Amino acid sequence: MTTNIRRLSIALASALVLTAGARAWAGPTQAAGALAPSGGGRDPSRAFVKLDVRPEPGAHGLYVGQAVPVIIRAYFLGGMSVSLSGLPRITSDAFVLSNIPDKPRQTPIQVHGLPYTSLTWTGVLTAVKAGDAKLGIELPVSLTYREAPQARHAARPGPSEDDESADQSAADPFASILKQSPFANDPFFAQMFNGRDPFQGMLDDVAGNVRQRDVTLRDESRPLRVLDPPPGAPAGFTGAVGSFELGVALANDTFRAGEPTTLKLSVRGRGSFARLSVSGLPASDDLNTYGVTSTFTPGPGPTEGEKVFAQTIAPRRAGTLTIPALTVAYLDPHEKRYVTRRTAPLRITVAASGSDLNSSSTASSAGEPAPAEAAAGTLEVTPKAATNVAPDVARATLTPDFRAPWFRALAAAIVLTAAAFSFLGRTYRNGALGRFATARRVRREVARQQRAIEAAAAQGDAATLFGAARRAFQARLGAAWGVPSEAIAAADVATRLGAPGERIHEVFERADRLTYSGGHSAASEDLSYWRGLISDELHALETTT
């Protein structure tokens, strides 16, 4: 496992409450890595490491590809300064250790009544090689600690008086002066006159010597058997071991011919997700399919999570289509057999493409008669008999505005103006002026895309080249067919152009494939060939449309 950690310093403090086992160490150079004081094997260990592998309950071994949780704990005696020189590593080539955090969890504990600090890593252990393997763990550390003080002897043999007199000047230049003092006969100060300072080494005896050592802590676990997968692996088995559940869904609710959508397969459970793979759906008469991508989301447990496989698909035709079932094969370690799970087929209704809809709506608009106008209703009012009408009442006739001559003139002017603008607009769109403006706009767009094609071919960028080519063809065909250029898909090219448009259809297919598979193309792709082919097809469309 590659990690960016190089040196993590941890200040170890005093302890709280918890008990655990400790291992004594016989000497300062023992390879087992448990570091103890040099006073003897009965002293407590200054540092040691433990490996805890947790296979499935009742299992007698692991299958190749099976992943199980693992816990690594390192213990350090209180009062020490520790620098981690790296992460824990497995000593056997039959296993792979992964998902180890850079920073361990630090907890104060007590071991046999002594204060320790525990560093804990939780990871995943995956078996990769069959056989009986001896599993072990190593942890490189740098320790700084203070040794216990040594007891001083009551009397130490010293050099003779003659030797002291000979070396007195060199050992203590003030000895001659002190010897002439009134305290020369005092037993306490006599040691100073003999060249021995009674305070020398007193602080060293109280505090002890500080030592720094680089050691590798090790723990050898019991042998662990790794088994080969049983014979008879089903098709699609890629080495995954565990227990999984499947779910399938489409990213869209509505579908059109030629328009892509995403098919998502979610796999949840517990096991070796890294070995879980799905090939996806192959292309068929009903579907265009592209590459499969995957994302993994860890779960609450070390080997739990969810892996989502996504594949871009595009219906080739309108109507009712069936998306085939997807399968996932894995080895269940509990049942000791292979399991193949399948999703349910999906039935979808695909509408016609955008260009087909525009054509059909234009045709229906031209063929449908105008809706009949509603007949005007007539309200008959029978006047009541005039009663008590005063004589000589003046009566006048009121004329509505819409019957006034000025209103009729204004309405006629508005209608004539609207007709004139409609005529001019239709002339612009359908006349020579409109055709010239459309052709000019298309030429500018195609020229812009051809410059992008040239630059992409020079840089070896296949995704940009085919994307620009598709936009150039869409501009030409959209102007010729009278449909929005962005609505033209590969299915429309195949339907309308037929065999003469086979090369253009291939350009659309390659552009879709590169767009929905992350932009990766074959290393041997000859972009200069495609650049020339695209230029020839664009020129042919310009002369024929």
Side-chain angles (χ1 to χ4, degrees):
M1 175 178 178
T2 305
T3 177
N4 293 327
I5 184 171
R6 287 295 177 268
R7 210 160 183 83
L8 173 63
S9 297
I10 301 175
L12 301 183
S14 297
L16 288 181
V17 160
L18 197 61
T19 58
R23 183 199 307 173
W25 180 65
T29 60
Q30 184 171 335
L35 186 65
S38 57
R42 294 184 179 180
D43 292 330
S45 301
R46 285 198 176 94
F48 58 96
V49 65
K50 287 291 185 180
L51 175 65
D52 182 11
V53 180
R54 301 189 174 184
E56 300 291 339
H60 299 289
L62 303 178
Y63 286 104
V64 171
Q66 186 174 355
V68 294
V70 63
I71 299 177
I72 303 166
R73 294 185 178 92
Y75 299 88
F76 301 95
L77 191 62
M80 301 177 62
S81 176
V82 179
S83 294
L84 300 181
S85 303
L87 290 176
R89 55 179 179 261
I90 294 294
T91 58
S92 173
D93 61 351
F95 304 93
V96 173
L97 184 63
S98 60
N99 297 352
I100 294 294
D102 290 343
K103 294 183 179 180
R105 187 174 70 253
Q106 182 174 339
T107 308
I109 66 171
Q110 285 190 352
V111 179
H112 293 328
L114 295 177
Y116 278 81
T117 295
S118 170
L119 304 184
T120 304
W121 293 266
T122 301
V124 177
L125 185 73
T126 304
V128 296
K129 183 179 178 181
D132 291 334
K134 192 173 183 181
L135 180 61
I137 193 72
E138 291 183 347
L139 178 64
V141 296
S142 178
L143 306 177
T144 302
Y145 59 93
R146 193 177 296 277
E147 285 188 339
Q150 301 291 332
R152 295 179 60 88
H153 297 288
R156 292 184 300 178
S160 63
E161 185 175 354
D162 295 337
D163 295 337
E164 289 184 2
S165 299
D167 299 335
Q168 186 172 356
S169 298
D172 188 354
F174 300 101
S176 58
I177 299 175
L178 294 174
K179 199 168 185 179
Q180 303 299 326
S181 69
F183 304 99
N185 296 325
D186 187 278
F188 179 79
F189 287 96
Q191 297 185 41
M192 301 176 65
F193 304 150
N194 293 331
R196 291 193 302 271
D197 185 357
F199 299 102
Q200 182 180 1
M202 180 177 294
L203 294 179
D204 290 341
D205 288 346
V206 173
N209 296 324
V210 176
R211 291 186 177 273
Q212 183 174 359
R213 303 188 59 189
D214 294 329
V215 298
T216 299
L217 307 179
R218 296 184 178 91
D219 182 29
E220 298 293 341
S221 180
R222 60 182 177 84
L224 190 61
R225 173 168 295 182
V226 180
L227 308 173
D228 280 317
F237 177 71
T238 56
V241 181
S243 178
F244 306 99
E245 297 291 337
L246 308 185
V248 65
L250 289 167
N252 298 15
D253 295 331
T254 58
F255 312 95
R256 292 188 184 278
E259 294 185 3
T261 186
T262 303
L263 177 65
K264 292 184 178 181
L265 173 67
S266 58
V267 184
R268 306 180 194 87
R270 180 176 59 187
S272 51
F273 282 93
R275 290 174 170 254
L276 194 64
S277 180
V278 174
S279 58
L281 295 178
S284 65
D285 294 337
D286 293 337
L287 295 173
N288 281 332
T289 60
Y290 306 94
V292 179
T293 60
S294 64
T295 56
F296 177 70
T297 303
T303 60
E304 297 177 357
E306 179 182 18
K307 195 169 187 178
V308 177
F309 299 91
Q311 183 179 22
T312 301
I313 62 175
R316 288 180 178 268
R317 60 177 179 83
T320 301
L321 306 181
T322 299
I323 299 177
L326 293 170
T327 61
V328 173
Y330 59 90
L331 174 62
D332 192 325
H334 294 287
E335 301 182 4
K336 298 179 175 59
R337 65 180 182 88
Y338 294 103
V339 177
T340 300
R341 295 196 179 275
R342 293 179 175 84
T343 63
L346 300 177
R347 294 180 65 84
I348 61 174
T349 301
V350 182
S353 63
S355 57
D356 293 340
L357 288 177
N358 292 333
S359 302
S360 61
S361 62
T362 303
S364 62
S365 299
E368 288 182 358
E373 296 182 358
T378 303
L379 177 62
E380 296 183 358
V381 179
T382 304
K384 296 182 180 180
T387 58
N388 300 326
V389 177
D392 302 329
V393 174
R395 290 179 173 84
T397 301
L398 298 177
T399 303
D401 289 341
F402 68 88
R403 289 185 178 180
W406 66 268
F407 185 86
R408 292 180 180 181
L410 178 61
I414 293 174
V415 171
L416 290 176
T417 303
F421 276 109
S422 176
F423 176 77
L424 291 176
R426 186 174 301 176
T427 302
Y428 178 81
R429 290 192 301 271
N430 300 330
L433 184 60
R435 289 193 297 272
F436 174 78
T438 301
R440 183 180 180 184
R441 175 177 54 81
V442 172
R443 283 197 301 270
R444 287 183 175 179
E445 176 64 16
V446 171
R448 186 171 68 88
Q449 298 301 335
Q450 283 185 317
R451 290 193 295 270
I453 292 171
E454 293 290 337
Q459 298 174 2
D461 188 351
T464 302
L465 184 143
F466 284 100
R470 175 173 54 187
R471 290 188 291 272
F473 284 126
Q474 284 176 328
R476 286 247 185 259
L477 297 175
W481 296 346
V483 297
S485 59
E486 62 273 9
I488 300 175
D492 303 313
V493 174
T495 302
R496 294 204 177 203
L497 297 182
E502 184 176 354
R503 291 183 176 182
I504 300 176
H505 179 265
E506 177 64 18
V507 170
F508 273 70
E509 290 284 343
R510 285 178 176 266
D512 290 341
R513 191 176 301 114
L514 289 170
T515 299
Y516 303 119
S517 61
H520 301 290
S521 63
S524 60
E525 191 82 53
D526 188 358
L527 299 185
S528 61
Y529 163 77
W530 285 102
R531 177 188 57 188
L533 184 148
I534 292 166
S535 178
D536 294 341
E537 292 295 331
L538 286 172
H539 179 70
L541 284 178
E542 184 179 9
T543 58
T544 57
T545 57

